[in-house]
Amino acid sequence: MKITPLSNVMGAEVTGVDLSKPLSASDRDELYQAFLQHLALCVRDQRLEGVGAFLDAARNFGQPKVQHLESYRSDQYPEAGVITSEDRDVKDGKRIIRGTMFHTDESFIAEPPKATVVYAVTIPSKGGNTRYVNLQKAYETLDEATKKQIDGLMAIHYYGKQRPGRKVPSLTDEQLKNTPPVAHPVVRINEETGAKALYVHETMTDYILDMDRSESEALLRRLYDHSAQSPEFQYSHEWRTGDFVIWDDRATLHAATADYAENEKRLLYRTMIKGGPTHQHAAIGRRAA
Ligand code: SIN
């Protein structure tokens, strides 16, 4: 097995591994440690025959979880979904490229996934990269006064938040009812490495608890701009067919890029690895005024 960094920011390429076969315990451990260290791994040149084989490969990193929202789930395997250039919005039926705003997966539930795993089946000839942000670096480079200000703060994440002019896939009324607001720490500590990361993103973070609404908005805007607008924290993954990529949802944001030709196909299998609580006390406090 060879592990080579993909950039100075995050991510590593892995070659010499065949995920269609059971791994030895030492190879599995080496891969897992590399995942924790680099926050994203791309295992090249995989040949996984179907969603079942993909899920088996993903199990090397933990237990795949059932996707919270039924839309875009695989019928046969509720832990898996398929991202395709044919995706349609559940409400208006229009073609949609999902996940184009920087986000971390399912932060709108109380126990968000630890990681997301994606396998590239068909890739357009040009474009369709996935872009990542290293939220540990974003946290580390904040000034000391801001670190002091945000350590210990909690923020509400909510799928149904107002996002003027921004598009995320619609939810049915039933799905929205089953997806109430949840609280997470603004600075998330990785329970496996102890590393701190900013854990806010414009797609799902609504407001900071126990803070005046305008103060909350100004602080969040500053944190969003610091993290998601700075190229120095970003890595853009150019997909190759057969790439098996896992990234750490506790410490990264990601976004799809809607820049490929409409007549070209893009098809990826996707699952998320079960996570745990983001903090000890998940009670939701009062809404910002
Ligand atoms: C996602 O998992 O949010 C989208 C990744 C992609 O399609 O590039």
Side-chain angles (χ1 to χ4, degrees):
M1 178 186 320
K2 191 167 165 223
I3 301 175
T4 316
L6 281 163
S7 75
N8 291 331
V9 176
M10 58 176 282
E13 175 188 76
V14 183
T15 52
V17 172
D18 181 355
L19 294 171
S20 69
K21 302 204 171 83
L23 294 181
S24 66
S26 69
D27 278 359
R28 195 177 315 119
D29 189 51
E30 190 175 347
L31 275 180
Y32 196 80
Q33 293 308 318
F35 154 72
L36 291 178
Q37 182 189 343
H38 296 282
L39 305 181
L41 288 185
C42 171
V43 189
R44 298 280 193 200
D45 305 318
Q46 299 306 295
R47 291 174 70 89
L48 303 173
E49 298 297 334
V51 175
F54 162 66
L55 283 173
D56 286 344
R59 281 190 192 95
N60 286 301
F61 295 90
Q63 186 187 335
K65 76 176 279 299
V66 170
Q67 189 165 292
H68 178 75
L69 305 171
E70 306 90 67
S71 325
Y72 315 109
R73 258 189 215 160
S74 149
D75 294 336
Q76 203 184 347
Y77 301 98
E79 304 90 352
V82 176
I83 299 171
T84 82
S85 39
E86 311 295 314
D87 281 339
R88 304 273 153 186
D89 188 82
V90 291
K91 273 202 168 158
D92 64 21
K94 290 192 182 145
R95 183 172 180 266
I96 183 169
I97 295 184
R98 294 185 280 142
T100 53
M101 284 172 72
F102 273 120
H103 63 285
T104 176
D105 282 328
E106 291 195 352
S107 74
F108 50 80
I109 63 171
E111 297 197 358
K114 170 194 288 201
T116 299
V117 191
V118 167
Y119 173 62
V121 181
T122 308
I123 291 301
S125 59
K126 195 159 171 275
N129 285 14
T130 304
R131 292 175 303 134
Y132 296 90
V133 170
N134 180 335
L135 291 175
Q136 287 178 0
K137 279 196 193 296
Y139 174 77
E140 284 158 17
T141 50
L142 288 169
D143 60 74
E144 289 307 314
T146 305
K147 282 186 186 162
K148 213 164 149 199
Q149 181 187 14
I150 64 175
D151 265 334
L153 290 180
M154 301 291 290
I156 293 298
H157 293 234
Y158 182 39
Y159 201 105
K161 74 171 262 196
Q162 296 296 314
R163 301 176 193 84
R166 305 292 187 118
K167 179 93 175 121
V168 294
S170 307
L171 296 191
T172 62
D173 295 344
E174 185 66 12
Q175 286 171 341
L176 191 58
K177 205 174 79 201
N178 293 332
T179 312
V182 292
H184 295 301
V186 170
V187 179
R188 183 168 180 182
I189 299 174
N190 181 313
E191 67 283 6
E192 294 179 284
T193 63
K196 287 182 170 182
L198 262 186
Y199 194 68
V200 291
H201 59 114
E202 200 167 356
T203 311
M204 295 297 161
T205 310
D206 199 359
Y207 59 90
I208 296 178
L209 278 175
D210 301 323
M211 190 178 271
D212 169 83
R213 184 67 163 184
S214 58
E215 203 189 329
S216 157
E217 274 172 15
L219 177 56
L220 284 173
R221 169 54 48 210
R222 194 149 64 82
L223 297 176
Y224 299 149
D225 288 351
H226 172 74
S227 53
Q229 302 295 333
S230 309
E232 66 194 280
F233 310 135
Q234 287 189 27
Y235 162 67
S236 180
H237 186 70
E238 199 172 317
W239 291 94
R240 295 182 203 161
T241 302
D243 279 356
F244 174 101
V245 175
I246 176 164
W247 63 84
D248 194 325
D249 278 311
R250 298 164 295 190
T252 61
L253 300 178
H254 61 280
T257 314
D259 63 347
Y260 53 93
E262 271 209 27
N263 60 354
E264 287 217 43
K265 195 164 171 188
R266 184 173 186 267
L267 192 146
L268 308 149
Y269 298 156
R270 176 177 178 278
T271 190
M272 289 170 281
I273 303 294
K274 198 170 175 317
T278 56
H279 54 92
Q280 297 297 320
H281 307 288
I284 296 179
R286 74 175 171 82
R287 194 181 170 86

